[in-house]
Amino acid sequence: MEDFLVLVLSSVAVIIISQLLKVLLNLTWRPYAITKWYREQGILGPDYKFMKGSNEEIGNLKLGAQKVPMDVNSHDFTPRVLPHYHKWMSLYGRNFLFWFGSMPRICITDMELVKQILSNKSGWYPKSDPHPTLLTILGKGLVLIDGPDWARHRRVVNPAFTIEKLKMMTKKMTGCAKSMIEGWENQIAQEKSKQAEIELHKYFLELAADIIAHTAFGSSYIKGKEVFLSQKELLTLAIATLFNVRIPGFGYLPTPNNRKRWSLDKKVRTTLKQIINERMKSRDGGYGNDLLGLMLETCMAGGKENDKNRMTMDEIIDECKTFFFAGHETTSHLLTWTMFLLSTNQDWQEKLREEVSQECGMEVPDADVLAKLKLVNMVLLEALRIYGPVLQALRKASQDMDLGTIKPLMGTSIAIPIAMLRHDKEIWGPDADKFNPLRFENGLSKAAKHPNALLSFSIGPRACIGQNFAMLEAKAVIAMILQRFSFSISPNYIHEPIDRITLQPKFGLQVILRPLHA
């Protein structure tokens, strides 16, 4: 018996030592071998630092860049938000190598290569491994999964985003917006000056959560809002730990951050499971016309031919998490930055108000009316270009391959600095840092030198499935605000865009609202 125990313990010790050696090699010899491989191709970059990679330098550069607020009329926030890209591009060129911990990343800024990466249908450039807390927030939904699972999920979710289904959701969008606007009107009515300073960003965060809760969960929207609050806490946790050194296996230890992440995830999953079970028990002639109902309808359809569309309870939960977070972050920030641009460009505010007045007067706009608002659409596209929520896209090489003249090694992460590309004068012309919605007058594909330059909802087969939902919601809310208020930027607003996973105003958006009608 003693000999057996000695044998087992010896085997375990060998396994542990071999794993530790593997980790040590990954943290020491491997980075230098990878650096040598890319330098031979002419791809340079900052030196690798043991375990930290480039994380410490990125953090220090960001802290230094954020010390001084921007001028309210300046839109070139990239040196402030992405200072490491600015520094390394000036030192090493448009394509360079840097390190996220021990993970190599190549920055790619050539639009043809970007198109090749994002449009690939062969699975050569899957999503990079996400931060653990981001994985908890989003779940293994459409945003993060790849391969056959992605194709199956896409088939199930796609029916919820057809034009006809979106038209049905418009009434819920405008109903939520009307409640928010009535609250503003009541607040202004209490002011002697008949105007009020409103912090819009806070309201748009609440509004986007309200709309998604209604359109995703219908009558269970109150529980849906509970999911939003938990995801908000998880986002705060992700921001605080994003640049921490990630040690293999550390995510399984019961540290305070891990315990909090597990607790919040359990709360989210339990709430969503309750909503789903209630829907499946109480259905009467269908599962409902909201996102959850349409997913269940597709999943539960009878017949062997529908087996390819089956999703487990965990998969349905993950898709709900993905839709809630991705839809909320996209639309709330798009509304915020659009209102900022209209507050500082009164001429365009008047043009849009006139268009809305011509198309629907004071009536609540429906989907058909919203489709006619060309100027509103142009301004939203320009807001997405200048202040798009997504700052970068990450992919990885699934194997050793050729990418133009670059030969990425298998496992190398590929960073596409989307915000930098949207402000690139070589792509958008000399006014790239100016607010000019007229660049979209002849359509999206002709606005820049490259037809796919906007990238706000990505391109190719992995393009955001909810982009029409987000644009419809933004059009509806902006149109209803223009019907009822004129507005200008408050003297109390401080222009400090900041990277909190998505691009947000650091201190919110303070705007002076004035009712147009008694």
Side-chain angles (χ1 to χ4, degrees):
M1 185 66 179
E2 288 181 2
D3 291 340
F4 177 73
L5 286 174
V6 169
L7 181 62
V8 170
L9 290 173
S10 298
S11 300
V12 170
V14 168
I15 292 170
I16 292 173
I17 291 169
S18 65
Q19 290 298 315
L20 287 173
L21 285 172
K22 184 179 178 181
V23 169
L24 191 61
L25 284 172
N26 282 337
L27 295 174
T28 55
W29 176 82
R30 178 174 169 268
Y32 294 106
I34 290 172
T35 298
K36 184 174 182 291
W37 169 264
Y38 286 113
R39 280 183 177 172
E40 288 174 353
Q41 300 178 51
I43 298 176
L44 307 176
D47 291 336
Y48 169 78
K49 291 187 177 180
F50 181 68
M51 291 185 70
K52 296 178 182 178
S54 306
N55 290 21
E56 188 175 57
E57 185 175 359
I58 292 172
N60 290 336
L61 287 169
K62 286 197 168 195
L63 282 174
Q66 292 170 10
K67 289 181 179 178
V68 181
M70 293 172 57
D71 183 272
V72 74
N73 294 308
S74 173
H75 305 308
D76 186 16
F77 64 84
T78 56
R80 171 190 175 82
V81 174
L82 301 172
H84 51 299
Y85 283 110
H86 269 270
K87 178 181 177 179
W88 295 334
M89 279 175 136
S90 66
L91 291 175
Y92 310 116
R94 291 177 67 88
N95 300 327
F96 56 85
L97 172 70
F98 66 110
W99 298 84
F100 193 81
S102 61
M103 174 65 68
R105 281 187 179 176
I106 297 178
C107 171
I108 299 293
T109 58
D110 181 281
M111 273 306 305
E112 280 304 318
L113 297 183
V114 169
K115 180 183 176 183
Q116 186 177 328
I117 294 164
L118 297 180
S119 299
N120 184 268
K121 297 180 180 180
S122 304
W124 293 348
Y125 303 102
K127 295 292 183 78
S128 284
D129 299 330
H131 186 282
T133 310
L134 285 179
L135 179 59
T136 304
I137 295 171
L138 287 164
K140 294 180 180 179
L142 280 174
V143 172
L144 296 180
I145 57 175
D146 290 292
D149 283 340
W150 174 83
R152 177 168 53 87
H153 282 227
R154 183 91 178 192
R155 283 196 300 270
V156 172
V157 176
N158 202 54
F161 292 96
T162 62
I163 296 300
E164 289 307 311
K165 297 297 183 185
L166 290 177
K167 285 184 176 180
M168 292 169 60
M169 296 179 187
T170 307
K171 193 170 183 179
K172 290 181 179 178
M173 295 175 181
T174 54
C176 293
K178 185 179 179 183
S179 295
M180 177 187 72
I181 288 170
E182 286 175 349
W184 294 348
E185 289 172 336
N186 291 335
Q187 184 175 340
I188 293 171
Q190 306 302 315
E191 301 289 337
K192 291 181 179 180
S193 61
K194 299 306 176 185
Q195 65 180 35
E197 179 184 280
I198 307 287
E199 202 285 271
L200 294 185
H201 186 53
K202 176 183 68 176
Y203 279 98
F204 289 149
L205 288 170
E206 181 73 19
L207 173 65
D210 207 24
I211 288 174
I212 289 176
H214 278 84
T215 55
F217 306 118
S219 59
S220 303
Y221 75 92
I222 294 175
K223 286 185 178 178
K225 292 288 286 291
E226 293 176 14
V227 172
F228 161 70
L229 294 173
S230 296
Q231 284 191 317
K232 191 175 178 181
E233 286 189 66
L234 281 166
L235 180 61
T236 302
L237 185 61
I239 293 166
T241 59
L242 186 61
F243 290 105
N244 289 3
V245 175
R246 289 162 65 181
I247 301 171
F250 197 73
Y252 299 100
L253 298 179
T255 63
N257 280 339
N258 285 342
R259 288 202 305 270
K260 185 175 182 181
R261 174 163 60 88
W262 298 336
S263 173
L264 288 168
D265 185 45
K266 183 179 180 181
K267 184 177 179 181
V268 168
R269 301 189 79 82
T270 300
T271 303
L272 288 173
K273 194 170 184 177
Q274 288 174 353
I275 294 172
I276 293 166
N277 283 332
E278 287 171 6
R279 185 68 61 89
M280 294 179 73
K281 289 177 184 177
S282 64
R283 73 185 186 96
D284 183 18
Y287 293 96
N289 285 320
D290 51 31
L291 174 71
L292 176 59
L294 293 168
M295 277 201 297
L296 290 174
E297 197 76 51
T298 305
C299 286
M300 302 302 172
K304 290 184 178 180
E305 69 279 359
N306 195 57
D307 287 347
K308 62 184 179 181
N309 291 334
R310 301 290 183 198
M311 283 170 62
T312 65
M313 173 69 79
D314 282 341
E315 288 176 321
I316 294 173
I317 286 172
D318 282 346
E319 284 304 338
C320 289
K321 289 166 69 175
T322 293
F323 177 64
F324 213 119
F325 180 77
H328 177 265
E329 288 297 295
T330 300
T331 315
S332 61
H333 303 325
L334 172 56
L335 287 168
T336 297
W337 292 117
T338 301
M339 287 295 289
F340 165 71
L341 290 167
L342 290 176
S343 296
T344 53
N345 292 271
Q346 295 291 319
D347 55 336
W348 274 97
Q349 185 183 142
E350 288 304 319
K351 288 177 184 178
L352 265 58
R353 184 174 292 109
E354 184 179 344
E355 180 182 58
V356 171
S357 178
Q358 287 178 350
E359 295 297 340
C360 61
M362 288 299 294
E363 296 294 320
V364 175
D366 58 22
D368 292 331
V369 167
L370 295 173
K372 298 176 183 178
L373 301 179
K374 306 300 182 186
L375 292 180
V376 173
N377 190 63
M378 286 161 54
V379 167
L380 288 171
L381 291 175
E382 182 70 340
L384 283 170
R385 185 190 71 81
I386 299 177
Y387 292 105
V390 179
L391 296 168
Q392 64 178 352
L394 296 175
R395 296 290 188 271
K396 66 180 178 182
S398 62
Q399 57 190 342
D400 295 350
M401 60 181 67
D402 293 337
L403 178 62
T405 59
I406 303 171
K407 299 180 184 299
L409 291 170
M410 182 177 69
T412 297
S413 181
I414 298 171
I416 303 168
I418 293 175
M420 300 285 289
L421 295 175
R422 289 194 298 243
H423 286 257
D424 193 328
K425 290 180 170 62
E426 291 184 16
I427 298 172
W428 294 94
D431 66 343
D433 294 325
K434 304 295 183 184
F435 175 67
N436 178 20
L438 288 175
R439 71 178 82 246
F440 293 101
E441 190 173 17
N442 296 315
L444 194 57
S445 62
K446 296 180 180 179
K449 292 181 181 178
H450 196 284
N452 303 117
L454 187 62
L455 295 175
S456 291
F457 296 104
S458 192
I459 56 173
R462 299 298 299 260
C464 176
I465 195 171
Q467 59 183 296
N468 290 331
F469 178 96
M471 291 297 285
L472 189 67
E473 179 183 339
K475 282 183 186 178
V477 175
I478 293 297
M480 292 179 71
I481 293 173
L482 288 165
Q483 284 176 324
R484 291 161 176 79
F485 303 100
S486 64
F487 44 91
S488 58
I489 203 74
S490 168
N492 295 319
Y493 171 70
I494 301 172
H495 192 38
E496 291 196 27
I498 192 170
D499 176 9
R500 287 186 174 135
I501 309 298
T502 50
L503 185 70
Q504 305 177 30
K506 184 175 182 179
F507 302 107
L509 175 62
Q510 293 77 22
V511 165
I512 305 297
L513 287 184
R514 304 174 186 87
L516 293 171
H517 312 283

